[in-house]
Amino acid sequence: MSAFERRSIISGIGQSAVGRRLGRSGVDLTIEASLAAIADAGLDVADIDGLATYPGASPGGEAFSGPSSPEIQDALRLKVNWHSGGLEGPAQLAAVVNAVLAVGAGLANHVLVYRTVTEASAQGAGGRAGIGVGGAGADSIATKGIGGVLQWSIPFRAYSPAIWLALVAQRHFHTYGTTSEQLAQIALNQRRNAAENPNAVYREPLTLDDYFASRMIATPFHLFDCDAPVDGSTAFVVSRAEHASALDHAAVGIESVGTALKGRPSWDQFDDMTTMAARDAGAMVWTRTELTPADVDVAELYDGFSFLTMVWLEALGFCGKGESGAFVEGGTRIALDGALPVNTHGGQLSAGRLHGFGHIHEACVQLRGEGGARQVAGAEVAAVANGGGPIGGAMLLVRER
Amino acid sequence: MSDETQFDDRFRVPPALDETNRFFWTSGADGRLRFLRCAACGYWLHPPSPWCPECGGRDVAPEAVSGRGVVHSVTVNHQAWDGDQTPYAVALVELDEQAGLRLTTNIVGVDPELVTIDDRVHVVFEQRGDVYYPLFELDPDPAPAFRPDPDRNSDR
Ligand SMILES: [Zn+2]
């Protein structure tokens, strides 16, 4: 095959300490994850000739954005032939896809890719902030007003993706008969899996009663449908496929990517308000491979909110349109020992909001057979999805022999 | 339809008015809700955009709509994002004029728990300074929905 995806492998993976309020800088966490990934790839820092992050410096602020790529290039004194960052693209996965494109095009041999968050420390002891709320004085949004795309939601007190996505979930519930009991299975599944992941932030058992007793955020989302901000960094090295023979572990191959976006990129104007961007990214994955959903051994599907995992189950064709509620009913099918183990590390709901890169990391762990108590036996094909609402990206990863 | 209904003193982040959105946010001064519309084919554009994706027309201008629509989706928010603990309804309202022409908005004047998808609604405005926030109330009685020719202005 000549597809660009096959010219690259994920040769190394690394993750910093992950936790609630570590009190460490984003650069410090990023260096920890990066050095681990570079060593795991059998490389030295000087071998890295490419650099990519999502998003790097952005209006979301440092706690969300992580260090900019120039900061990390400078800290590690990297001499790069190619570098990239930015908020726009197929969700967080954009940084990995960009690296795979760069290697496939011959611009770099070994690209360091990272995503770092310090949102738990930034949040402090208070609750999660709404967009545009807080602050005062002449420069505050509350005084000057809000422009751009956010002007269509924030003035109506729709301050958070929790509300925007709740509207999608409610439409799905209404159209397909999806129930809160079904949605709860995502949170319960992730918590069961987190119990087997020593690095997860929430590992104590969660029952259906606990779920329904938790406070409502925006119907149908309870507190346990929302992910948990953490501090942490995840890094990968994307290398030329030829580097696989130099590794002391299995290489992870990139089988196909899904980067499409064909509907309107808007939280209220999208043509089908029961799915959104995942639909197109998910469908594209299968146009670039001979594999089918039945070949997938493990699925790491974004769960910034529980409902997004259900959206991705449908978008990637693991069940029919509108059938994700029945698919997850009772939780057995998506459990570690089920037909399609989902979010085996605990997802963002229980392992922490590493913002998509935790899912990519876990897919690599599973394909390399390093999952310990949560390892899915014989995992050879993993589906990974990032994002929700008007952004989405997906890819298939495979264990290379 | 009232034109200057003051519902409450709750916090609202205002829009930043500029030459592209001023018509929308000040439209309620005469009690009418307006969107950009293509002069050539009648397609409604939202958010405001200078090119009609239906026909390629460049002649677009604000035009009043009926202010009537249907609840496409609704959630009851309970999180006190802005400090107010009172639950409120955030909805997607689809205007009768065109499938897919929607606003994120609030349904007001009713217990938010009583708002359901497919409810018929009509616009009411909440004035704060120059800005007239287009909010919606439930219709008192079921009214027949106006629907445009499905072969034109189809949602894509
Ligand atoms: Zn037109």
Side-chain angles (χ1 to χ4, degrees):
Chain A
M1 297 289 288
S2 60
F4 81 91
E5 289 99 320
R6 321 296 160 82
R7 297 180 204 141
S8 299
I9 56 169
I10 296 176
S11 58
I13 65 176
Q15 201 161 65
S16 72
V18 174
R20 304 276 289 169
R21 290 157 213 151
L22 296 177
R24 293 170 56 188
S25 74
V27 172
D28 185 32
L29 295 168
T30 305
I31 297 299
E32 181 185 350
S34 297
L35 294 179
I38 293 166
D40 184 53
L43 299 170
D44 295 322
V45 171
D47 295 320
I48 299 298
D49 62 356
L51 182 61
T53 190
Y54 176 96
S58 83
E62 189 178 334
F64 164 81
S65 303
S68 69
S69 62
E71 280 181 275
I72 297 306
Q73 190 212 339
D74 193 47
L76 292 173
R77 300 295 195 276
L78 299 177
K79 295 174 172 59
V80 297
N81 291 314
W82 175 86
H83 51 109
S84 172
L87 199 58
E88 297 171 6
Q92 302 84 355
L93 206 65
V96 176
V97 173
N98 288 346
V100 173
L101 281 165
V103 170
L107 289 176
N109 294 313
H110 302 289
V111 180
L112 175 65
V113 187
Y114 68 91
R115 171 85 182 101
T116 304
V117 286
T118 51
E119 292 178 300
S121 286
Q123 178 180 302
R128 243 163 140 165
I131 298 168
V133 183
D139 288 335
S140 73
I141 289 171
T143 301
K144 295 173 67 178
I146 195 155
V149 68
L150 289 173
Q151 73 179 289
W152 308 114
S153 54
I154 305 298
F156 302 100
R157 306 175 73 210
Y159 297 117
S160 166
I163 297 174
W164 312 337
L165 190 68
L167 291 165
V168 181
Q170 291 284 79
R171 184 74 195 174
H172 192 281
F173 278 37
H174 172 85
T175 305
Y176 301 112
T178 316
T179 67
S180 290
E181 286 75 11
Q182 292 168 339
L183 182 65
Q185 291 302 326
I186 302 294
L188 269 53
N189 174 73
Q190 263 84 310
R191 186 59 66 90
R192 277 193 304 271
N193 294 346
E196 308 295 343
N197 176 7
N199 297 324
V201 292
Y202 293 123
R203 303 181 64 199
E204 61 277 16
L206 181 71
T207 68
L208 193 61
D209 286 344
D210 296 332
Y211 173 89
F212 280 113
S214 72
R215 63 193 171 85
M216 189 66 85
I217 303 300
T219 54
F221 296 154
H222 289 78
L223 180 65
F224 288 121
D225 291 305
C226 308
D227 64 4
V230 293
D231 299 347
S233 178
T234 308
F236 306 103
V237 178
V238 172
S239 297
R240 285 161 49 96
E242 292 79 2
H243 186 60
S245 60
L247 302 177
D248 64 1
H249 53 76
V252 173
I254 296 98
E255 174 71 14
S256 65
V257 301
T259 55
L261 178 56
K262 301 183 180 183
R264 294 183 65 185
S266 157
W267 278 102
D268 45 30
Q269 307 299 315
F270 198 90
D271 52 290
D272 180 352
M273 288 303 301
T274 64
T275 172
M276 302 188 66
R279 175 192 65 192
D280 303 325
M284 180 175 165
V285 160
W286 305 113
T287 68
R288 302 182 62 79
T289 178
E290 292 174 3
L291 297 177
T292 70
D295 295 314
V296 173
D297 300 307
V298 59
E300 312 296 351
L301 308 179
Y302 192 79
D303 62 340
F305 297 93
S306 56
F307 177 69
L308 289 174
T309 298
M310 295 175 70
V311 168
W312 280 111
L313 283 168
E314 296 179 13
L316 284 161
F318 294 119
C319 61
K321 173 69 176 156
E323 296 174 358
S324 59
F327 190 86
V328 305
E329 178 122 30
T332 54
R333 194 179 270 116
I334 58 173
L336 278 179
D337 59 356
L340 182 70
V342 169
N343 291 340
T344 48
H345 59 313
Q348 292 183 185
L349 298 179
S350 285
R353 176 181 156 80
L354 293 165
H355 212 216
F357 272 44
H359 296 82
I360 306 169
H361 185 271
E362 177 66 6
C364 295
V365 165
Q366 289 287 339
L367 294 174
R368 287 164 53 159
E370 298 167 353
R374 67 181 191 278
Q375 178 64 43
V376 174
E380 295 192 350
V381 180
V384 184
N386 280 185
I391 62 166
M395 61 184 178
L396 282 185
L397 300 177
V398 295
R399 178 187 176 94
E400 299 282 1
R401 302 198 169 275
Chain B
M1 197 179 319
S2 61
D3 59 358
E4 286 192 19
T5 310
Q6 192 78 36
F7 291 100
D8 53 48
D9 295 320
R10 282 191 209 129
F11 176 78
R12 278 192 195 278
V13 176
L17 299 187
D18 61 29
E19 67 280 6
T20 67
N21 68 9
R22 185 176 304 274
F23 82 89
F24 178 88
W25 288 109
T26 61
S27 182
D30 67 354
R32 307 296 301 274
L33 177 63
R34 287 173 176 80
F35 294 90
L36 285 191
R37 192 177 198 193
C38 173
C41 78
Y43 183 80
W44 300 91
L45 295 96
H46 186 73
S49 175
W51 180 78
C52 174
E54 279 294 307
C55 76
R58 298 277 279 157
D59 185 5
V60 298
E63 189 172 318
V65 294
S66 64
R68 300 192 171 276
V70 64
V71 175
H72 191 72
S73 190
V74 60
T75 181
V76 180
N77 179 76
H78 292 260
Q79 177 81 0
W81 307 100
D82 56 15
D84 190 329
Q85 305 276 348
T86 312
Y88 57 95
V90 178
L92 296 179
V93 166
E94 186 158 300
L95 280 301
D96 283 350
E97 277 72 11
Q98 181 170 291
L101 178 66
R102 305 188 198 109
L103 288 178
T104 300
T105 183
N106 300 122
I107 309 297
V108 296
V110 63
D111 177 350
E113 301 284 354
L114 298 180
V115 182
T116 59
I117 291 175
D118 292 340
D119 281 350
R120 297 281 314 159
V121 292
H122 58 271
V123 72
V124 291
F125 291 98
E126 180 179 313
Q127 181 193 2
R128 300 187 182 205
D130 292 340
V131 174
Y132 292 75
Y133 297 86
L135 312 180
F136 287 78
E137 285 182 343
L138 298 185
D139 283 358
D141 299 303
F146 164 77
R147 282 290 168 190
D149 179 355
D151 292 327
R152 201 180 74 163
N153 301 341
S154 62
D155 186 29
R156 299 170 310 155

